[in-house]
Amino acid sequence: MNRRDFLKQCAVTGIAGSISSAASGAGAQLGNKTFNLRLGKRRYNVLFVFVDQWRFCSLGHGPNHDPDVITPNLDKLAKQGAHWSRCYATHPVCTPNRSAVITGRWPWQTGMNQNDLMLPPEERCIAQHFTEAGYKSHYIGKWHMDGNAKPGFVPQGWRRRGFTTFEGFNRGHFYFNSPTFTNDGDMMRDIGLYESGDYEPTLQADLAIDFMRNNQKNPFFCFVSWGPPHGPYTPPAEYDIYNASEMTYRPNVPDDKVGNTRQEGYFGSITALDHEFGRLMKSLKDLDLEDDTLVVFTADHGDMIYSHGLSYKGKPEEESWHIPLLMRLPGKIDSGQITDTLISTADLMPTVMSLAGLDDPTTCTGIDKTQALNGGHMPDASVYGGVQDRWRAVVKGDHKLIVEQIDGNEVATRMYNLSTDPYEMTNIINETSVQTVKDDLWAEYLQWKDKTQDSFPEYPWLAENMY
């Protein structure tokens, strides 16, 4: 089936329209509607869907989006809730940014500055807060914060960082031979719970649906971590529907990379995941949990797919650093809104906790951004990120400043106007007309270094592989 036939099938099944267009102690519970009586706050479930290497523009909606990719279920989510159009990773590499999501802190604060490290035991994590508030907290999928074990069983206890149950593995990409462990450490494919050849995200969606069904009467925090669209870019056959010769490539992809087949597999993997996401949304509806559940969709980092001739992640360019962020919570997040307030993945922990009705955490460097929703206003802020001792970058307003480590020195090498030059084709770092803006961005950069205890341009400290 090609992309055209897939679209026709979607039309038949009614999808085409969407393509185009707890409280323990002080709390009390009524069904799955949980309240904090002391604070007068309603507690909501959370379904947090986290994907690996999905760039901001590879959705069927949004500014400068890839026009060929098919994501009807995520497009529907955006229409029902909020699309944060300017979300950036703290550190666009797997382990570092995953740690930022669950701690609300930058990797150079936690030591998680490269892959295959173990999050230090003293770090306070989001699931700990939910579990202590009486939630059933459950993790499914790739973890990548428990050292270098591959695939690696994450044992019960502190290494699960507050998740009371866990069905997944530490690291690796095994999409048709999943090494998913049960909560007790049995590999599912060894005990008949998974058959090799089946698509791993389908298994993980099944596990999430089972967990939510079994916890309809309890407040829950369910974190689903999918491996695709990270390579090897091999979608299931029914979603291998894209043809390189018929695809549109971003304007910053050089001519010799136009027609590359990597984008075929990348988009196919995205459309396959969109289908699984749709199954999760249908389950919430069927279980009568839609109105009681905050849904969050985001990624650890993006993928260059040859924009600027580059590959994979870890770059300051938009395709790598800028990631999707969608949220839905009926009655609390107005439908169909796009907020251009800058938000970092370090802001997710305090923001999600606030939306769910929990108290503000005191350990986060990131901040609660809920004020930016529903037409609200937040002071003009900036976002900050980087990778090891290679680069740092700041985005504020329309502009991005990139600072690189050159011979041990921090040097501002590139600057872009993302409003007039969204594909970053023209470096304006030396233009005198933007000197004031450049100076302001440099001041922001220095403030962020201080706020996040960043040693750049020196290599940041590293956590251990095992504690």
Side-chain angles (χ1 to χ4, degrees):
M1 180 185 296
N2 60 27
R3 179 177 182 274
R4 186 176 296 105
D5 291 336
F6 184 84
L7 286 169
K8 289 179 180 178
Q9 182 178 8
C10 289
V12 171
T13 57
I15 299 175
S18 59
I19 294 175
S20 64
S21 9
S24 60
Q29 183 174 305
L30 177 62
N32 194 259
K33 297 178 174 64
T34 305
F35 301 85
N36 183 313
L37 299 182
R38 179 175 62 84
L39 297 176
K41 288 184 178 180
R42 177 175 173 182
R43 297 285 180 87
Y44 294 89
N45 307 314
V46 178
L47 174 60
F48 196 114
V49 181
F50 196 55
V51 292
D52 196 334
Q53 207 154 304
W54 190 317
R55 61 191 187 180
F56 80 103
C57 52
S58 291
L59 293 164
H61 66 276
N64 306 310
H65 73 274
D66 298 325
D68 296 322
V69 70
I70 302 170
T71 59
N73 293 297
L74 288 164
D75 299 346
K76 182 178 180 180
L77 183 75
K79 292 177 182 178
Q80 294 174 334
H83 175 191
W84 298 79
S85 64
R86 306 186 76 194
C87 180
Y88 288 82
T90 57
H91 184 303
V93 176
C94 298
T95 294
N97 200 46
R98 288 166 182 266
S99 70
V101 169
I102 71 165
T103 65
R105 286 157 51 80
W106 269 256
W108 32 91
Q109 296 179 292
T110 62
M112 300 293 278
N113 288 294
Q114 63 186 39
N115 280 338
D116 308 339
L117 300 175
M118 180 177 284
L119 187 64
E122 65 270 17
E123 292 297 330
R124 182 88 168 144
C125 300
I126 187 170
Q128 292 171 268
H129 291 273
F130 279 97
T131 298
E132 291 166 4
Y135 280 66
K136 301 292 185 180
S137 57
H138 187 52
Y139 193 94
I140 297 167
K142 176 188 169 184
W143 178 247
H144 214 171
M145 292 175 285
D146 197 54
N148 57 16
K150 184 179 181 179
F153 172 62
V154 181
Q156 298 181 30
W158 71 267
R159 284 161 64 180
R160 293 184 177 180
R161 314 321 301 249
F163 287 98
T164 50
T165 50
F166 193 107
E167 294 174 308
F169 52 90
N170 182 41
R171 71 184 184 100
H173 297 273
F174 317 90
Y175 303 149
F176 296 94
N177 191 28
S178 178
T180 296
F181 291 95
T182 68
N183 184 62
D184 296 322
D186 295 312
M187 194 170 283
M188 290 188 178
R189 68 189 184 204
D190 293 341
I191 59 174
L193 297 180
Y194 168 79
E195 184 174 344
S196 292
D198 290 347
Y199 195 43
E200 181 181 80
T202 301
L203 166 69
Q204 293 161 339
D206 288 344
L207 295 173
I209 292 168
D210 287 344
F211 172 77
M212 293 188 293
R213 180 183 299 114
N214 293 333
N215 287 279
Q216 294 179 68
K217 304 302 181 183
N218 304 304
F220 62 76
F221 176 58
C222 182
F223 197 114
V224 181
S225 175
W226 281 325
H230 186 293
Y233 309 107
T234 51
E238 61 267 36
Y239 296 100
D240 190 11
I241 58 175
Y242 296 91
N243 187 323
S245 65
E246 299 176 353
M247 298 175 75
T248 301
Y249 293 81
R250 292 176 70 75
N252 54 18
V253 174
D255 291 344
D256 65 339
K257 297 298 184 181
V258 169
N260 75 83
T261 57
R262 183 178 295 171
Q263 186 163 293
E264 292 179 339
Y266 186 68
F267 283 7
S269 299
I270 283 171
T271 300
L273 288 188
D274 180 83
H275 170 75
E276 300 302 334
F277 183 82
R279 293 179 58 223
L280 295 177
M281 296 302 97
K282 183 178 185 300
S283 177
L284 285 177
K285 183 177 180 65
D286 292 346
L287 296 171
D288 195 27
L289 294 173
E290 274 188 319
D291 292 342
D292 305 311
T293 304
L294 168 64
V295 178
V296 180
F297 175 86
T298 192
D300 56 358
H301 52 78
D303 194 325
M304 296 302 298
I305 309 290
Y306 297 121
S307 284
H308 304 284
L310 301 172
S311 298
Y312 309 121
K313 58 202 175 220
K315 316 296 194 299
E317 284 78 11
E318 291 290 284
E319 290 81 6
S320 165
W321 187 28
H322 187 175
I323 56 176
L325 177 59
L326 307 173
M327 294 182 181
R328 185 189 75 183
L329 183 54
K332 196 163 184 179
I333 296 178
D334 293 344
S335 62
Q337 62 181 291
I338 299 175
T339 174
D340 61 0
T341 295
L342 288 161
I343 186 170
S344 164
T345 45
D347 300 322
L348 292 181
M349 178 173 164
T351 302
V352 168
M353 288 178 59
S354 175
L355 286 167
L358 274 64
D359 293 341
D360 292 337
T362 59
T363 56
C364 297
T365 308
I367 64 172
D368 175 10
K369 293 287 182 90
T370 55
Q371 186 180 338
L373 293 168
N374 303 337
H377 175 73
M378 294 195 74
D380 187 23
S382 59
V383 289
Y384 180 60
V387 169
Q388 298 168 350
D389 62 347
R390 301 177 196 171
W391 61 268
R392 297 290 183 268
V394 175
V395 175
K396 183 179 182 181
D398 292 336
H399 292 88
K400 175 193 288 187
L401 179 71
I402 298 170
V403 181
E404 297 181 76
Q405 184 269 117
I406 300 176
D407 297 328
N409 299 308
E410 49 195 333
V411 181
T413 57
R414 287 178 280 164
M415 180 174 164
Y416 299 100
N417 185 324
L418 298 176
S419 177
T420 61
D421 181 26
Y423 299 100
E424 299 172 295
M425 307 288 279
T426 304
N427 183 3
I428 59 175
I429 192 74
N430 294 319
E431 292 187 10
T432 57
S433 61
V434 295
Q435 185 63 46
T436 300
V437 178
K438 178 183 172 182
D439 291 344
D440 179 52
L441 289 171
W442 183 262
E444 289 281 326
Y445 159 69
L446 295 177
Q447 290 172 20
W448 274 113
K449 281 186 64 179
D450 181 64
K451 180 178 180 179
T452 62
Q453 298 91 49
D454 189 357
S455 64
F456 187 81
E458 296 179 4
Y459 201 100
W461 73 281
L462 294 178
E464 302 292 335
N465 291 115
M466 182 65 66
Y467 288 92

